[in-house]
Amino acid sequence: MDVDVASLLSYINVAGSLTSTSNSLTISQGALQGTGTMNLSYVEIGTLGSVTFSGTLTADRFVNGGAALAISGGIIVNDSLILSSGSITFNAGSTLTMNSNSNIKVDAGSIAISGGTLAATSNYNVIYVGSSKTSGIETGISAGAHNVWVNMTDSSQIVTMGNDITISGTMYNNTGKVALGTHTLKLMGDYVSTMNGKISGAATSRLMLGLSNSSSSTIALAAGSQFQYLEMNSGTSPSVNITGNFSVDTIYVKSGSAAFADASKLTMETNGVFIMEDGTFTLGTGSFVGTNSYSVLYKGVNKFSSYELSGSGLQNVTLNLASLSNTVSLSNNLAVSGLLNMNMGYLYLNGYDLSINGTYSSTSNSAFSGHVSSTLKINNPSVAF
């Protein structure tokens, strides 16, 4: 039968073994004590409940309804750890084990560690619900959360990252905003969202898109977001669509293909760096703002230049391609007011003009390749080849 301990002076003490595959134990008031073993379908600790049990408790679902729990034993979760309210602290000698494909559901509650050990036997997931909150250690157990759901009460609620998060599976951003703050978010599998789910960046935020699948949904960035570092490294075939007006200090298009989904805008911050390796990021109906001073670095293999060279704030351009046989072919006139650094590879003018208004540096592993319709203009008499 189901058991509910509902008096402050009451308790249940398990010194041996308590097992049921279908019944529940609820401590609305009172205490759970003992040193034995428990294996139950459902365990809930209410606001006035307490746990001094130091044995091993296995539950399909373990719910904290509002108590401040200090755990000294072991808790094994088969299905769901539900943090409705209150807090759970795992003290020295205690353990939390999330079994395969189990879930941590975070509402108004939290978990913390104070000498205890948290582990996952295999993939586990995290689900955020309710009102605004800051993420905690729940995303970083063992290899980290496989899938993460953001199912907040409405789109104005925010999950502020309290630590770096790597999601190896899928991020389901259904309702609410994920604010990176000072942390790094790595998306390694897939990204699924609705119009009510967005990602927000600040001056020291880092977003790394290492998607192994083409994103199932457009990644919507909150208006005014800034990213210290934005990386697109999604392999050769996956693609991602991005929407929103945002700015970056460093953008690294390493691999894969990305594109703006609508009339979005990418702005380079002052002293920003645009790194183009072996990926593509097309504007479509979007726009690029390069009025602040910024630099462009080319890496990888053969490629054509694009809008990244079009900003009026362009200062420095560096070619550091994979080998001397690789080429950057111009797709528009290029004026370099800072340093043109030819470290590795060819710069093919391709019918466009090159103006060197600043300084020039080169190695024996680099060269220009001219064109009958191109003009090379050296506007600094101190430049030597």
Side-chain angles (χ1 to χ4, degrees):
M1 65 177 180
D2 297 337
V3 175
D4 187 355
V5 178
S7 171
L8 285 174
L9 300 178
S10 299
Y11 63 88
I12 181 169
N13 188 303
V14 181
S17 177
L18 176 61
T19 300
S20 174
T21 59
S22 59
N23 297 118
S24 66
L25 171 63
T26 302
I27 310 292
S28 299
Q29 302 180 56
L32 174 61
Q33 304 173 356
T35 59
T37 59
M38 302 173 61
N39 196 328
L40 299 173
S41 174
Y42 180 91
V43 176
E44 180 174 353
I45 311 299
T47 302
L48 300 177
S50 64
V51 175
T52 60
F53 180 76
S54 60
T56 300
L57 188 161
T58 301
D60 291 338
R61 289 181 294 162
F62 185 95
V63 181
N64 186 15
L69 302 179
I71 304 300
S72 58
I75 296 178
I76 301 171
V77 177
N78 293 326
D79 183 86
S80 297
L81 173 61
I82 302 173
L83 307 174
S84 297
S85 187
S87 63
I88 305 176
T89 300
F90 290 88
N91 291 329
S94 66
T95 60
L96 168 66
T97 302
M98 302 299 298
N99 277 340
S100 179
N101 296 317
S102 58
N103 306 292
I104 300 177
K105 186 176 183 179
V106 184
D107 192 345
S110 64
I111 56 174
I113 187 169
S114 181
T117 302
L118 311 185
T121 60
S122 185
N123 291 336
Y124 76 98
N125 311 304
V126 174
I127 306 168
Y128 291 103
V129 298
S131 57
S132 294
K133 57 181 57 64
T134 299
S135 70
I137 61 175
E138 66 276 354
T139 59
I141 299 173
S142 295
H146 184 65
N147 302 313
V148 172
W149 278 263
V150 179
N151 295 334
M152 307 296 277
T153 303
D154 56 58
S155 59
S156 68
Q157 306 304 313
I158 301 172
V159 176
T160 300
M161 287 172 46
N163 48 279
D164 296 343
I165 296 177
T166 297
I167 301 174
S168 58
T170 300
M171 182 174 189
Y172 298 91
N173 196 353
N174 295 321
T175 306
K177 186 185 298 182
V178 177
L180 276 59
T182 61
H183 296 289
T184 299
L185 174 62
K186 294 182 181 180
L187 302 178
M188 307 303 291
D190 194 3
Y191 180 83
V192 179
S193 69
T194 71
M195 62 181 295
N196 294 315
K198 292 185 178 181
I199 294 175
S200 173
T204 54
S205 299
R206 298 167 66 88
L207 176 60
M208 302 175 70
L209 306 177
L211 304 176
S212 58
N213 301 309
S214 295
S215 59
S216 298
S217 304
T218 295
I219 297 178
L221 304 179
S225 287
Q226 180 180 346
F227 297 94
Q228 182 186 66
Y229 182 76
L230 174 61
E231 179 182 290
M232 301 170 191
N233 184 21
S234 299
T236 56
S237 59
S239 60
V240 57
N241 289 319
I242 297 175
T243 183
N245 298 334
F246 63 97
S247 63
V248 295
D249 291 287
T250 298
I251 178 170
Y252 187 2
V253 184
K254 190 172 185 179
S255 63
S257 61
F260 275 143
D262 53 22
S264 301
K265 182 168 65 177
L266 164 62
T267 299
M268 298 299 297
E269 290 286 340
T270 301
N271 297 321
V273 180
F274 200 127
I275 305 172
M276 291 292 295
E277 191 166 349
D278 295 327
T280 60
F281 184 11
T282 56
L283 290 180
T285 57
S287 59
F288 173 75
V289 178
T291 53
N292 296 319
S293 62
Y294 74 100
S295 302
V296 174
L297 167 61
Y298 289 107
K299 302 176 68 176
V301 296
N302 297 333
K303 56 182 58 63
F304 285 87
S305 71
S306 187
Y307 60 87
E308 70 274 0
L309 294 179
S310 66
S312 61
L314 178 65
Q315 295 294 308
N316 309 307
V317 177
T318 297
L319 268 68
N320 193 20
L321 301 176
S323 70
L324 176 59
S325 63
N326 295 127
T327 301
V328 174
S329 300
L330 292 182
S331 299
N332 45 270
N333 295 332
L334 172 60
V336 182
S337 59
L339 170 65
L340 175 58
N341 182 14
M342 299 283 292
N343 187 54
M344 176 70 76
Y346 277 90
L347 179 62
Y348 176 42
L349 301 189
N350 195 31
Y352 295 95
D353 298 338
L354 170 62
S355 299
I356 301 177
N357 302 323
T359 56
Y360 175 77
S361 175
S362 66
T363 71
S364 60
N365 293 316
S366 65
F368 291 109
S369 179
H371 187 278
V372 66
S373 301
S374 297
T375 300
L376 174 61
K377 303 175 183 179
I378 302 174
N379 299 316
N380 182 351
S382 65
V383 169
F385 289 87

